[in-house]
Amino acid sequence: MALLVFGLSGCALLGDDRPRSTALKERELKVTELVGGWEGEGGARLTMTERDQRFVAKGLQADKPEQDGLPVDTDGRVSGKGTWSFDKYTAGYQVDLHFQGPGDLTLTVAELDGELVISSYVNDGDEFLLHRS
């Protein structure tokens, strides 16, 4: 079975018709657009500060977090605190969460229907999204 991917209104659709975010490549991203609160499915939260570039995360989804040494709560989700950074790469902007203790988590800054989102792919292609709170 072939998987058809095409662009539509700034998002991509997979064969199951779920909208997917697209990497933010076409414009410059300012740090002020990332600081503050973000929320996701299942009560996930990410709060990032600008002055000291610190973060607090609760209930983030990640692909194989135990293998990457990430702090995992009883639900198998990533929770903890640390420092963060972001940079622009060929594929677009990424946010790196550097947890206290071992483990780093890389997230993608993207757009979905014109809204800035932070995303990661989990479970063989499922997308986990954080929206501005």
Side-chain angles (χ1 to χ4, degrees):
M1 172 181 5
L3 179 65
L4 177 64
V5 179
F6 59 95
L8 177 67
S9 301
C11 64
L13 292 177
L14 296 182
D16 61 6
D17 293 334
R18 289 179 297 162
R20 299 290 185 155
S21 66
T22 55
L24 186 66
K25 297 185 205 178
E26 304 304 318
R27 69 173 180 87
E28 291 299 314
L29 180 68
K30 298 176 184 152
V31 69
T32 55
E33 294 179 87
L34 295 173
V35 298
W38 298 84
E39 296 179 342
E41 179 183 320
R45 294 191 54 80
L46 174 64
T47 304
M48 297 186 289
T49 63
E50 180 178 4
R51 189 183 82 234
D52 55 1
Q53 288 195 283
R54 304 214 41 91
F55 76 88
V56 175
K58 181 181 183 303
L60 304 183
Q61 291 184 29
D63 198 33
K64 301 177 180 101
E66 297 90 357
Q67 289 181 8
D68 293 334
L70 294 168
V72 178
D73 59 24
T74 57
D75 294 331
R77 292 177 170 235
V78 179
S79 296
K81 58 186 175 177
T83 59
W84 66 276
S85 60
F86 86 103
D87 210 342
K88 186 174 185 180
Y89 299 93
T90 305
Y93 286 95
Q94 292 181 336
V95 173
D96 293 308
L97 302 180
H98 311 285
F99 286 86
Q100 289 178 349
D104 292 340
L105 177 61
T106 299
L107 304 170
T108 301
V109 181
E111 287 185 322
L112 178 63
D113 294 331
E115 175 192 6
L116 192 65
V117 295
I118 297 176
S119 72
S120 68
Y121 286 95
V122 296
N123 304 327
D124 296 323
D126 290 338
E127 188 172 31
F128 174 71
L129 294 173
L130 293 167
H131 301 267
R132 175 70 69 191
S133 57

